[in-house]
Amino acid sequence: MKPVRVVMALVVGLTLAACAIPHQRDDTGASKLAIEEAGVDAVYARYREVYNAAVDIDSAQPLSVVERGSVLDIDTAAFQVEGGAVRTTLRADEVAIPRFKAYPLWFMAVASTEDGAERRVQVFSRMSSVDTWTLVASPRIVAEATLPKLRASGDANALAVAPDDDRGMVLSPQAAVDAYVASLSALPEAAGDDVAGDDAFLQQMRDAFAQNQQLADVEFSQAWGADPVEHAIRTSDGGALVFATLHRADQFQVTPGRSVTYPDGTVQRALAPEGIVGSGTVRFDHQVLLLVPPGNGEIRVLGQFGGVVAVE
């Protein structure tokens, strides 16, 4: 098999365009746009209202109304840290809206804060006609990033890609995520038979792995996994943007009489004030945005959002 190279590019590029393969049988009837573009502002207005109310009362409880999955888990953990959650002014700048024949419906948006200091590529999903739109993916990209142009389909400015669809691409969306997880699982080397791991995210994870390995009186191991791909969107050149949720488990076996502790202001310290004694696992969720190119090009990570979600 020809090697595939994975390269991290936090500065990349975006203009939008996609249609999706439905997963559920909650039939919407004839094919329809996930949402009218005019309705996206209302989705974001509601998101800001609920999220900022949660910040104001210093409680993550309201977030379940507007967030789901790993986004909710990551943000909920951040509320455990004093000052870890701040008010948001995110608004959609560009929107990619596919067509669907069945629920769940979803759309992608490139959003930025009022001051332009933060940009995210986000996915909002609606599971049924009686459910509200919830945020399910939110990787950060740098302010000056430009994402690839997306492929339109009729009156839809975006075309969704099935997880197992590898037509014209180096790998299908699911296979690309599996290859990336395999590279992460090879840490600290981060290189496997089919993936050359030398991108910035892998380097960050490699450095963290090495740091944990150097802890005195501690045996350290790590495990990686990923959720099945649900959201992928076709680029105009025949590639795809793929949203993936990666799960990382840092496992510690500590010599009796010793402990692993964390600095003030970290989620680990908030969740485990006494540190890890005996044995313990720190769990992370990492949402990444992968670019799967057409042909035999390089898989690139365009952005990521993640953090500690549990200490066990």
Side-chain angles (χ1 to χ4, degrees):
M1 182 175 180
K2 193 172 182 178
V4 177
R5 199 174 175 201
V6 178
V7 180
M8 180 73 160
L10 287 182
V11 181
V12 281
L14 179 116
T15 318
L16 297 170
C19 191
I21 305 300
H23 307 300
Q24 292 188 351
R25 287 187 171 274
D26 189 354
D27 194 5
T28 65
S31 174
K32 61 178 288 186
L33 291 174
I35 189 173
E36 295 295 333
E37 189 167 351
V40 173
D41 285 344
V43 173
Y44 269 88
R46 181 172 178 276
Y47 178 80
R48 291 192 302 271
E49 179 183 12
V50 174
Y51 187 92
N52 290 336
V55 174
D56 291 343
I57 66 173
D58 194 26
S59 170
Q61 187 171 356
L63 295 184
S64 61
V65 175
V66 292
E67 294 183 351
R68 184 161 45 87
S70 63
V71 173
L72 177 60
D73 293 340
I74 294 166
D75 281 344
T76 297
F79 269 78
Q80 305 300 312
V81 181
E82 185 175 353
V86 297
R87 291 173 62 87
T88 183
T89 60
L90 282 169
R91 285 171 168 77
D93 300 321
E94 300 177 80
V95 184
I97 303 174
R99 274 189 166 275
F100 296 90
K101 289 184 178 180
Y103 286 92
L105 310 180
W106 58 270
F107 68 87
M108 182 184 101
V110 181
S112 63
T113 53
E114 285 182 345
D115 59 6
E118 181 179 352
R119 292 182 73 208
R120 293 176 179 254
V121 184
Q122 300 184 308
V123 173
F124 280 85
S125 175
R126 189 181 187 189
M127 300 303 293
S128 75
S129 60
V130 298
D131 290 319
T132 57
W133 289 100
T134 53
L135 182 66
V136 295
S138 191
R140 291 190 179 103
I141 57 174
V142 296
E144 64 272 22
T146 305
L147 298 177
K149 185 177 180 180
L150 304 184
R151 178 177 293 177
S153 177
D155 63 346
N157 70 346
L159 179 67
V161 184
D164 60 352
D165 184 357
D166 63 356
R167 289 174 294 178
M169 294 185 290
V170 61
L171 291 171
S172 70
Q174 186 62 63
V177 173
D178 292 343
Y180 201 79
V181 169
S183 190
L184 287 164
S185 298
L187 290 170
E189 292 80 10
D193 293 338
D194 299 323
V195 178
D198 59 358
D199 66 55
F201 181 72
L202 283 167
Q203 183 60 57
Q204 178 187 355
M205 296 301 103
R206 183 186 294 114
D207 291 345
F209 188 99
Q211 186 175 32
N212 284 324
Q213 270 195 322
Q214 294 169 6
L215 292 172
D217 302 315
V218 174
E219 292 183 13
F220 174 75
S221 61
Q222 190 176 81
W224 285 89
D227 289 343
V229 172
E230 295 183 8
H231 308 107
I233 209 159
R234 184 73 72 173
T235 56
S236 61
D237 61 3
L241 291 176
V242 180
F243 294 85
T245 297
L246 311 178
H247 302 289
R248 165 185 159 201
D250 286 359
Q251 300 159 341
F252 302 87
Q253 188 70 42
V254 186
T255 298
R258 300 286 187 173
S259 65
V260 175
T261 58
Y262 295 91
D264 290 337
T266 62
V267 175
Q268 293 96 316
R269 182 60 175 264
L271 296 179
E274 304 303 319
I276 296 174
V277 179
S279 64
T281 300
V282 181
R283 299 193 180 277
F284 298 76
D285 280 358
H286 298 280
Q287 291 195 327
V288 297
L289 177 63
L290 292 176
L291 174 62
V292 181
N296 293 315
E298 298 174 342
I299 298 171
R300 296 184 294 165
V301 176
L302 308 185
Q304 64 108 356
F305 167 61
V308 176
V309 295
V311 179
E312 301 169 353

